[in-house]
Amino acid sequence: MDVALKMAQRYLFIGSDVPFVYGSPQPLDVELGKKILGQLVNPSESVDSTEPDTPVSSEKPQKKSNITKKDNPKVKAEGEKAKTAINHTPETPKDATDAKDSTATANPVEPAATKPLHPVLALIKSTLKSKSLHRTNECLFALAFCARTFATPEDRHAVYEMVPEVIRTSHDMLTFVSYYIVLATQSGHAGFGHGMRTAITHWYEKFSPIELAEMLVRSTCTAGWTHKDVIAKVHPKLKCTEKQSLIDAAMKRTSQLQLKKAPEKKGKRKNKKANNAPAANQEKAVVAVNATKSYKRYQTLLQFKSVTNAMKALELVKLHGGKGRLELLPRHLRRFPKVWEALYPFLSYRELLQAALPLQDFRLLKEGEPNAKLYVEMLTKRLDLLEAEHIHPCEIQVIAQLYKQGKRYMTTTKEAVHALYLTDKCPPVKEVQESLEAALEHSLNHHPKTGVRYYIALDLRCVYDRKKIFRNEVITCLQASVLLAFSIFKREKNVTVVAFTDEVDKLVPVNFEPTMTLEQATKQCVGLMLPTTKVSLAAPIKQAEAQKVKVDVFITITDSLIRVNPNRRPPTAELQDYRRKMKLNLSRYVAISLSRHRPSLEFQPNKDAGGLLEMVGYSAYSAKIIEAKAFLQNVSYYGVYEDECGTFNTYYRKFDKQTICGKNKIN
C-alpha cells in the first residue's frame, strides 16, 4: 500500500511513475494514471481477476430470479414482521414515556463518528490544496477516476462532496468534466448521475454573482466543453435568483441578451389565458434582474467580446476601463496601435512582456513612432508589477531572445509555418530591446527567496555556446546554464557554484559576485570553458562532503546525462552516504539534461528514488519545480495516516513548513 501511494503521489506531482520530468508541461498520460490509481481505488478487482470463478449452475439462478417477494410466503411474512416492528407504538402514552426515559438513561446517545477519507482521496485533497507546484490535470483525472471507479456509494459520495471544495477555476471544472465523461464512455455508462449534478450545482453556488458573471464570459472551450454544455446536461437550480438569471442568460444568444429578452424555455404550448399572470411576473423579474450589478457586468464583458471595430473598442475602454479586457477583445483588433495605446496602462506586466512578439509581427514597433515610445515607457515605469507577479527570469530571457532574433516561436516547425504568412518583418528597436534586458536584470534582483542551500555544478564545454537546448532554438546551453545558476545565486545566501574540468574528481569554483550583471556572469563562465570535460554525477556530492559543506539541493546541469553517464547509474549511494555523514536527511539531487529528451538514469522499480530527480529541457516551469520544491516535498511519500506512520508525517510537516515559509533553513 505504501509503495502504491508513493507512486500515486509522484504521479500527481510530476506526472510520472519514475523521478523524471520534462522542462515544459506534458499532456496527461491516461493509461499510466489508470495503472497507478487502479491498484489503490479497487485493489480487490486485480485480485479477483486472477482467481478462477466458481462454477454456478444455470438453472437455479433463473428460478431464484423469477421468485418475487409476493410469491414467496416466507419472504412476505418476514417483511410484514419487519414492518410491524418498525411501525409498532405502545398502547398507552405512559408506557411510551417510561420506555423512552429508561433507554435514555441506560444507553446514552453517542455522536456518530465520521468515516475517514479513502487514502487516495486524502492524497488528492492535500495535493490540490497545497501551495506547492503540482500537476493539476493529473489530480483532476484522479478525482474523476475515483468518482467513476469507487465500489461503495459512500466513497463516491465523498468524491462528489469534495468537488466544490478542491476545484477552484473554470478551466479545472471543465477539465474534470471532460475526464469524467471519457471514463464514463469507456465503462459504457456515459452521462451525469444525481451525485455529479449535485456536485456541479454546488460548485456554481459557491461563487458570488460578480464572479459568476466574469467566469461565464471569460471562460473558453476546454477539452471540447463549455459552460453552456455543462449547464445543458446538469440543469442547475441555484438558490440565488441573481445567480440563476446569469445561468439562464448563458444559454441565450448575444443578440437576445442585448435586446434584454426573457429566457425562453422550450415546451408544449399551453392556454394563453392561464399563462397571462406568470408571463407578467416573469417580465417583472427580468427587469429586476437586468438592473443588478452582476448582470450589467455580464453585458459589459459581452460587449468587449463581440465588439466589431477599433472605434467601438476605444469607446468601451474609455467608458469601462481596460483592466482584464485584452483577452476578451477579438484578435483582429490587435492590429491597431490606438487599441494598444489605450490598453497599455491596464495590462499586467506579463501581458506587457508577451505583447512584444505580436507587436513585432504586426509591424507596430518602429523606430521613433509613438506606440514604440509608449511601450518602452510602460516597461520601464511599471517594474514594481514584475516583483508582484513573481515573473521568473527565464520567461523574460526567452521573450528577449525571440524579439532580438525576430522570431515568434521557440521551435523550428512552428516558426517555419508562422513565417509563411508574414510579410517583411521590422528590425528590433534598440530601446525596446534595452528595456527587455533591464527587466531581466531587475527580475534577477527581486525574485522571491527560498532560504535553501544550493550546490550547483556546471558543465562548461566550448560547444555550449552553439548547442541549442531541447525544444528551444533561441537559447543555447551556455545561456541556459548561466541564467539558471546565476538566478539562484543572486536571490539566495548560501549558494556554491562549481564547474567540471578535464579531471573527474576536480571541480573549480565559479566566482560569481552579487554585484555582477548577467552579461558579466556569462563572461566569467566563458573564461572557464574547456574543449573537453569529464563529468561525474557523484563528484559534487563527494567534494561537498570533503569540504563539509551543508547542502540541501544539489543541481548538476549538462547537455546530456547519457553522454556523461553511459552506465545510467544514479548517485543514490553517494547521496545516502552524504546524508548519513552530514546528518541531513532531506538533501536532494536534481540532474538536468538540457538537450536530451529521454530518461538517462535507471531506477529500481517499486523502490524509493532516494531523493533524486532527472529533469529534461529548460524553461520557467523547470525553474519553478526547483523553487517550489515540489520534488523535494512531495515526491517521497511520507504517509497519509498519522497513526500508521506518524514519524514520517511529522517529518514531512516540518520540512513543508520550513521550505514554504522560506525563513528557516533545513537541518
Side-chain angles (χ1 to χ4, degrees), residues 401-540:
Q401 290 297 322
L402 285 172
Y403 180 79
K404 181 180 180 180
Q405 300 178 21
K407 297 182 178 180
R408 182 68 180 273
Y409 298 102
M410 296 181 294
T411 58
T412 306
T413 305
K414 285 187 175 182
E415 183 61 30
V417 175
H418 178 68
L420 293 175
Y421 302 95
L422 290 180
T423 58
D424 297 336
K425 297 182 180 180
C426 292
V429 181
K430 183 179 179 181
E431 290 78 7
V432 175
Q433 190 172 343
E434 290 177 352
S435 61
L436 291 175
E437 293 175 357
L440 177 58
E441 293 291 341
H442 190 83
S443 65
L444 290 171
N445 297 322
H446 296 87
H447 202 66
K449 300 179 181 180
T450 59
V452 178
R453 296 165 292 193
Y454 291 89
Y455 199 97
I456 306 174
L458 305 178
D459 183 17
L460 300 177
R461 292 195 303 154
C462 292
V463 297
Y464 268 30
D465 58 349
R466 302 186 304 273
K467 193 170 185 179
K468 305 297 183 180
I469 63 178
F470 176 59
R471 290 180 179 173
N472 193 327
E473 295 296 326
V474 297
I475 305 293
T476 63
C477 290
L478 177 64
Q479 293 172 337
S481 302
V482 174
L483 182 63
L484 186 57
F486 190 62
S487 62
I488 297 175
F489 177 83
K490 289 278 283 187
R491 73 170 183 263
E492 306 294 344
K493 291 184 178 180
N494 298 321
V495 180
T496 304
V497 184
V498 296
F500 294 102
T501 62
D502 52 359
E503 299 180 12
V504 179
D505 298 331
K506 184 179 179 181
L507 302 176
V508 296
V510 180
N511 297 321
F512 286 150
E513 296 293 337
T515 57
M516 281 185 175
T517 62
L518 181 60
E519 184 179 358
Q520 294 172 347
T522 305
K523 291 181 180 179
Q524 177 74 19
C525 292
V526 170
L528 298 174
M529 296 180 71
L530 297 174
T532 57
T533 57
K534 294 183 179 180
V535 178
S536 173
L537 299 183

Side-chain angles (χ1 to χ4, degrees), residues 82-103:
K83 186 175 181 180
T84 54
I86 294 174
N87 297 329
H88 175 71
T89 56
E91 295 181 358
T92 59
K94 185 177 179 180
D95 296 335
T97 54
D98 294 342
K100 185 176 180 180
D101 296 337
S102 61
T103 54

Side-chain angles (χ1 to χ4, degrees), residues 191-414:
F192 288 174
H194 176 71
M196 186 67 173
R197 292 196 300 269
T198 305
I200 295 179
T201 302
H202 290 167
W203 185 81
Y204 280 115
E205 283 181 343
K206 75 175 185 178
F207 294 99
S208 65
I210 296 293
E211 293 174 347
L212 188 60
E214 294 268 355
M215 181 182 65
L216 292 176
V217 178
R218 294 183 181 277
S219 178
T220 57
C221 181
T222 302
W225 284 84
T226 61
H227 282 289
K228 191 173 182 178
D229 301 329
V230 176
I231 293 170
K233 291 184 70 69
V234 175
H235 302 288
K237 302 297 181 183
L238 306 185
K239 299 177 181 179
C240 179
T241 308
E242 189 175 354
K243 296 180 185 178
Q244 186 63 44
S245 67
L246 293 172
I247 294 292
D248 296 336
M251 303 301 292
K252 296 192 297 181
R253 295 182 179 180
T254 307
S255 59
Q256 293 176 341
L257 288 175
Q258 292 176 352
L259 295 175
K260 298 183 180 180
K261 290 185 177 181
E264 300 175 358
K265 297 183 179 180
K266 296 181 180 180
K268 295 182 179 180
R269 295 182 177 178
K270 297 182 180 180
N271 189 6
K272 294 184 179 180
K273 295 182 179 179
N275 293 333
N276 285 336
N281 295 333
Q282 189 178 14
E283 290 179 0
K284 293 180 181 179
V286 170
V287 173
V289 165
N290 291 340
T292 59
K293 185 178 179 180
S294 62
Y295 195 80
K296 290 180 180 179
R297 176 72 64 87
Y298 184 80
Q299 285 189 324
T300 301
L301 296 178
L302 281 182
Q303 290 176 359
F304 274 95
K305 203 170 184 178
S306 59
V307 66
T308 56
N309 53 55
M311 295 301 296
K312 291 184 179 180
L314 292 175
E315 292 177 1
L316 290 175
V317 172
K318 185 178 180 179
L319 182 62
H320 303 288
K323 186 176 182 181
R325 307 293 199 262
L326 177 62
E327 59 180 5
L328 296 178
L329 287 177
R331 292 187 177 275
H332 69 275
L333 297 180
R334 301 185 183 184
R335 295 179 177 271
F336 297 93
K338 293 296 182 181
V339 176
W340 284 105
E341 292 174 8
L343 288 175
Y344 282 151
F346 303 101
L347 298 181
S348 64
Y349 205 85
R350 182 174 275 105
E351 290 175 338
L352 271 177
L353 292 171
Q354 295 173 352
L357 304 180
L359 286 173
Q360 187 183 31
D361 285 345
F362 299 149
R363 303 175 61 85
L364 299 180
L365 292 179
K366 295 182 180 180
E367 194 77 31
E369 289 193 354
N371 186 34
K373 293 181 180 179
L374 183 59
Y375 180 70
V376 171
E377 182 182 355
M378 288 298 170
L379 283 176
T380 306
K381 288 185 176 181
R382 304 181 67 193
L383 287 175
D384 54 337
L385 294 179
L386 176 64
E387 307 171 17
E389 297 177 23
H390 304 312
I391 301 177
H392 196 272
C394 295
E395 299 181 48
I396 309 176
Q397 184 193 33
V398 172
I399 294 175
Q401 290 297 322
L402 285 172
Y403 180 79
K404 181 180 180 180
Q405 300 178 21
K407 297 182 178 180
R408 182 68 180 273
Y409 298 102
M410 296 181 294
T411 58
T412 306
T413 305
K414 285 187 175 182

Side-chain angles (χ1 to χ4, degrees), residues 105-136:
T105 55
N107 298 321
V109 179
E110 297 181 356
T114 58
K115 183 181 178 181
L117 285 177
H118 192 278
V120 179
L121 277 185
L123 181 61
I124 297 171
K125 185 176 182 179
S126 62
T127 305
L128 284 171
K129 285 192 170 184
S130 64
K131 296 182 181 179
S132 54
L133 190 67
H134 55 266
R135 301 268 296 185
T136 307

